[in-house]
Amino acid sequence: MKKKITIAVDGHSSCGKSTMAKDLARAIGYIYVDSGAMYRCCTLFAMQNGIIAADGSINEEEFKRRMPEIQVSFKLNEDTGRPDTYLNGVCVEKDIRTMEVSAHVSPVAALPFVRAAMTAQQQAMGREGGIVMDGRDIGTAVFPDAEMKVFVTASDEIRAQRRYDELVAKGQQADFDEVLSNLRERDRIDSTREVAPLRQADDAIVLDNSHMTIPEQNQWLLKQFHKKTE
Ligand code: DC
């Protein structure tokens, strides 16, 4: 049997990373992990426990103390055929995708003790290989030795339109300008933080999918996978 490799898919917010990473994992029989969902779980936990105040300020000392209580896991949803995110055993798939969580997640993901805890959980999930993980620092910090690294990007407006359409399709209230400014602000914080900032790994293959359909990008990714493993 062929050795199962580790695949890192990094890139900007809402560029379709998770869609392509999920589809690839399903096509090749690998595990898929959405590392952004893990940072969203930390944010939800902080919001639920009074660690983030209404003005967005974070009680870092309390957060650090309670960090060991946060366990994130994923379980396949038989109806959707996709993995759902669980925070301490409770399905939070819907709760972590709200605009409110999106508005607070980047400052949370910039905290070194949050990154250390999530990176350790991610590395434990990928110990055996056979994993596709998407995020911002997977190819640079979590799995710097990953056999295949992809860096995805697309224009700001196209990414905002995709996020907006996703929220509307889920029946959530959305304002395009708010979605666009949230996305730009997250990119700014994610790219300028001190620990594991969003950046392209030197050995990553770059994909600008601004003008690609989902089947086209899936085909491209599968071709890259076969190139790497043949
Ligand atoms: O991919 P997403 O939008 O669900 O990610 C949510 C936030 O988490 C995003 O603002 C950046 C952060 N993140 C990160 O810092 N490192 C990762 N590996 C994945 C996400």
Side-chain angles (χ1 to χ4, degrees):
M1 205 177 83
K2 247 190 230 168
K3 178 183 172 276
K4 288 194 166 185
I5 66 168
T6 299
I7 303 173
V9 181
D10 288 306
H12 296 97
S13 299
S14 306
C15 62
K17 297 183 297 293
S18 51
T19 305
M20 64 193 280
K22 250 180 241 173
D23 288 348
L24 176 68
R26 192 161 38 183
I28 62 178
Y30 277 27
I31 293 168
Y32 163 71
V33 174
D34 173 355
S35 69
M38 300 175 72
Y39 291 100
R40 288 173 178 272
C41 280
C42 296
T43 309
L44 183 67
F45 178 91
M47 286 163 58
Q48 287 171 340
N49 289 279
I51 294 168
I52 299 182
D55 67 356
S57 60
I58 303 172
N59 181 341
E60 289 189 32
E61 211 170 299
E62 175 70 358
F63 203 178
K64 195 172 184 176
R65 194 179 65 79
R66 300 202 55 187
M67 228 23 238
E69 291 175 41
I70 302 180
Q71 273 300 325
V72 184
S73 55
F74 298 94
K75 208 163 73 189
L76 188 75
N77 178 324
E78 301 290 346
D79 295 335
T80 61
R82 298 191 176 279
D84 280 343
T85 312
Y86 285 72
L87 169 59
N88 297 331
V90 178
C91 180
V92 291
E93 188 52 42
K94 241 184 149 166
D95 313 79
I96 58 168
R97 311 280 171 198
T98 60
M99 279 301 286
E100 209 187 347
V101 170
S102 297
H104 293 300
V105 67
S106 282
V108 166
L111 297 169
F113 59 85
V114 171
R115 298 210 73 78
M118 291 306 107
T119 300
Q121 291 190 20
Q122 289 152 9
Q123 288 171 337
M125 289 172 186
R127 202 161 285 143
E128 309 293 323
I131 193 165
V132 185
M133 190 176 290
D134 78 32
R136 305 293 189 289
D137 64 336
I138 310 306
T140 53
V142 180
F143 300 124
D145 299 326
E147 289 88 345
M148 177 171 162
K149 299 179 186 178
V150 180
F151 190 83
V152 194
T153 188
S155 80
D156 295 4
E157 286 75 12
I158 287 177
R159 291 187 289 125
Q161 188 64 50
R162 289 176 185 161
R163 189 65 146 207
Y164 174 85
D165 293 344
E166 207 177 86
L167 289 167
V168 170
K170 282 184 193 159
Q172 292 185 24
Q173 284 234 321
D175 173 80
F176 179 81
D177 292 333
E178 194 189 334
V179 172
L180 179 62
S181 68
N182 168 266
L183 176 145
R184 285 184 171 148
E185 179 60 4
R186 282 203 292 144
D187 285 347
R188 190 190 64 75
I189 302 174
D190 296 342
S191 311
T192 56
R193 68 175 174 232
E194 278 186 27
V195 184
L198 164 65
R199 70 170 180 85
Q200 186 190 320
D202 297 336
D203 50 350
I205 328 164
V206 181
L207 173 70
D208 181 339
N209 68 4
S210 298
H211 303 291
M212 272 173 135
T213 62
I214 290 176
E216 278 167 355
Q217 71 178 20
N218 282 351
Q219 234 173 18
W220 178 90
L221 194 59
L222 204 55
K223 207 164 106 191
Q224 302 302 322
F225 171 74
H226 289 309
K227 262 198 218 166
K228 287 277 175 198
T229 51
E230 262 153 25

